[in-house]
């Protein structure tokens, strides 16, 4: 009897610990694929698993693959647990992003997570970016290393989007925060967007500016998705009016936390200290004066200057004008864990 009681107590303790450490995205509804998404491209390169809540998308010589949300959203919390392909992944790009490019071709909005593959022995990197009102000539890229191998297990990647704030999360760690400023104008995403997940061949730019390309000897490259969260203000695609809430409403009614706790802010500072590899806010070659939303941290500036004194110190070298040519030189992230 005592053994049963001790075992029960241990199980209960674990459950309490799990409950206490559950991240906020895990309290939001997880949809099956058919409830929230549609096949975008790739034919048989997209596979829905039996429970309907997991999906695999793959890249081979024939095609990549992707899926898209059935609804448009104006603000919300959007998340997926993702396991990236392993081994040699140079040139492979896995993207988890929001966009309305199919509706607004010349003035689209976009919020990006881009996962950039690498040669064997080198780590995947993450890039985030935002565009508003077609501002593709003004890249707002940031690039990071990670404190884990994203090909070994699933990790949660999330986007919080409100009318005046955007936060990118890895697991429950906010890695980037963008606050809307008056000077940004339409550069802050403000029109309804769909959520997309894709895998594709980015050989021309993704790894060392295109030096290393996709090697299909290692195909298929499979990105695995689970814990799909689409929790926001869905809008009618014709009227562009909200089904769930008015465009200006707080997301509190949807049980979405729209602020960063002091503990999360501390984790964000530590992440950026250890893993930030490039930020447009410090790129003196592209922007002689930082854009209005940039909050300059002298310690970040000094550390990035050590990585690349030309880009982050104001020297001169050539940058292309197309979207994916604005890339920093990758640097080895520190190994300190969060």
């Amino acid at each position: 009897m005592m053994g049963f009681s001790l075992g029960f107590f241990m199980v209960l303790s674990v459950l309490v610990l799990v409950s206490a450490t559950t991240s906020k995205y895990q309290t939001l509804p997880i949809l099956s694929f058919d409830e929230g998404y549609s096949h975008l491209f790739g034919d048989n390169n997209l596979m829905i698993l039996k429970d309907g809540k997991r999906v695999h998308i793959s890249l081979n010589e024939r095609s990549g693959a992707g899926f898209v949300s059935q609804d448009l959203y104006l603000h919300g919390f959007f998340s997926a647990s993702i396991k990236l392909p392993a081994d040699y992944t140079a040139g492979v790009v896995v993207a988890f992003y929001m966009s309305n490019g199919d509706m607004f071709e010349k003035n689209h909005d976009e919020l990006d997570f881009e996962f950039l593959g690498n040669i064997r022995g080198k780590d995947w990197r993450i890039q985030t970016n935002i565009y508003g009102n077609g501002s593709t000539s003004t890249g707002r890229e940031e690039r990071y290393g990670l404190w884990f191998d994203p090909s070994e297990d699933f990790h949660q990647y999330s986007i919080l989007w409100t009318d005046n704030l955007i936060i990118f999360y890895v697991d429950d760690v906010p890695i980037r925060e963008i606050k809307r400023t008056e000077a940004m104008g339409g550069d802050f995403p403000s029109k309804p967007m769909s959520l997309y997940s894709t895998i594709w061949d980015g050989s021309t730019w993704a790894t060392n500016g295109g030096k290393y390309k996709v090697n299909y000897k290692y195909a298929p490259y499979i990105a695995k998705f689970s814990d799909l969260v689409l929790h926001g203000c869905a809008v009618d695609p014709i009227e562009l009016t909200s089904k769930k809430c008015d465009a200006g409403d707080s997301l509190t009614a949807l049980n979405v936390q729209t602020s960063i706790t002091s503990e999360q802010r501390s984790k964000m500072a530590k992440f950026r200290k250890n893993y930030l590899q490039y930020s447009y806010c410090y790129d003196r070659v592209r922007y002689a004066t930082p854009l209005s939303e940039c909050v300059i941290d002298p310690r970040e500036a000094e550390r990035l200057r050590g990585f690349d004194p030309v880009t982050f110190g104001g020297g001169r070298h050539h940058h292309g004008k197309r979207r994916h040519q604005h890339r920093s030189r990758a640097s080895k992230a520190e190994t300190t864990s969060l």
Side-chain angles (χ1 to χ4, degrees):
M1 182 67 178
M2 180 176 292
F4 172 79
S5 299
L6 179 61
F8 177 78
F9 176 76
M10 291 177 66
V11 171
L12 182 61
S13 298
V14 171
L15 290 175
V16 170
L17 178 61
V18 170
S19 176
T21 57
T22 295
S23 300
K24 67 174 181 290
Y25 55 74
Q26 292 176 307
T27 65
L28 299 176
I30 294 174
L31 299 179
S32 69
F33 183 87
D34 290 339
E35 286 177 313
Y37 294 91
S38 298
H39 190 175
L40 182 64
F41 73 99
D43 297 328
N44 295 330
N45 285 16
L46 184 148
M47 181 174 65
I48 303 169
L49 302 191
K50 291 181 180 179
D51 65 359
K53 292 187 177 180
R54 291 177 292 170
V55 59
H56 294 179
I57 54 176
S58 62
L59 169 69
N60 56 26
E61 288 180 299
R62 182 169 49 85
S63 178
F67 56 94
V68 60
S69 64
Q70 295 172 11
D71 285 329
L72 287 162
Y73 295 88
L74 183 61
H75 310 139
F77 190 86
F78 309 93
S79 185
S81 186
I82 306 172
K83 184 178 180 182
L84 298 173
D87 204 4
Y88 183 98
T89 55
V92 178
V93 179
V94 176
F96 177 72
Y97 66 105
M98 304 194 73
S99 178
N100 49 33
D102 57 338
M103 296 181 64
F104 303 97
E105 294 184 7
K106 296 183 179 180
N107 62 334
H108 85 284
D109 304 303
E110 193 168 318
L111 299 173
D112 294 333
F113 265 116
E114 288 178 318
F115 305 93
L116 309 178
N118 220 326
I119 59 176
R120 185 185 286 112
K122 299 293 184 179
D123 298 329
W124 279 84
R125 294 147 302 154
I126 292 182
Q127 180 160 291
T128 62
N129 205 352
I130 73 168
Y131 296 115
N133 207 32
S135 57
T136 54
S137 62
T138 305
R140 289 177 162 86
E141 302 97 336
E142 285 196 346
R143 185 178 287 184
Y144 328 87
L146 289 168
W147 66 96
F148 55 84
D149 182 346
S151 68
E152 287 186 348
D153 205 352
F154 287 88
H155 289 269
Q156 204 81 12
Y157 304 92
S158 310
I159 300 169
L160 171 70
W161 172 39
T162 78
D163 60 348
N164 57 18
L165 178 70
I166 297 164
I167 303 174
F168 293 90
Y169 294 86
V170 176
D171 291 331
D172 201 24
V173 178
I175 65 169
R176 181 179 182 184
E177 177 184 35
I178 305 102
K179 294 182 179 179
R180 183 177 197 163
T181 65
E182 185 176 349
M184 287 183 77
D187 280 7
F188 191 92
S190 58
K191 298 185 292 295
M193 292 189 277
S194 301
L195 186 77
Y196 295 83
S197 296
T198 58
I199 185 169
W200 50 284
D201 186 329
S203 290
T204 58
W205 66 273
T207 307
N208 284 33
K211 180 179 180 180
Y212 300 103
K213 305 182 186 307
V214 174
N215 186 339
Y216 286 102
K217 178 177 72 173
Y218 301 98
Y221 297 97
I222 302 173
K224 302 177 181 180
F225 290 75
S226 66
D227 298 336
L228 303 171
V229 174
L230 288 169
H231 199 68
C233 300
V235 302
D236 182 274
I238 304 300
E239 301 294 333
L240 297 183
T241 55
S242 175
K243 300 175 184 177
K244 288 188 176 180
C245 54
D246 293 331
D249 281 356
S250 167
L251 293 175
T252 304
L254 293 174
N255 195 32
V256 174
Q257 180 182 328
T258 57
S259 60
I260 297 176
T261 67
S262 57
E263 180 182 3
Q264 286 177 318
R265 194 164 291 282
S266 176
K267 288 182 177 181
M268 179 166 67
K270 190 172 183 180
F271 172 86
R272 294 179 69 83
K273 175 185 176 182
N274 291 327
Y275 300 106
L276 179 66
Q277 298 178 358
Y278 173 85
S279 173
Y280 73 103
C281 285
Y282 301 97
D283 191 331
R284 299 288 299 278
V285 174
R286 292 171 64 191
Y287 305 110
T289 301
L291 300 183
S292 65
E293 71 276 8
C294 291
V295 178
I296 301 301
D297 182 333
R299 291 169 296 184
E300 281 187 352
E302 186 63 28
R303 192 173 63 82
L304 290 175
R305 194 176 297 117
F307 288 161
D308 187 340
V310 175
T311 298
F312 302 113
R316 293 184 178 181
H317 65 169
H318 176 72
H319 279 273
K321 294 183 179 180
R322 291 191 305 168
R323 173 183 172 189
H324 291 306
Q325 290 178 329
H326 291 154
R327 307 294 171 186
S328 69
R329 291 184 296 185
S331 58
K332 186 176 181 181
E334 299 174 38
T335 57
T336 306
S337 63
L338 293 176

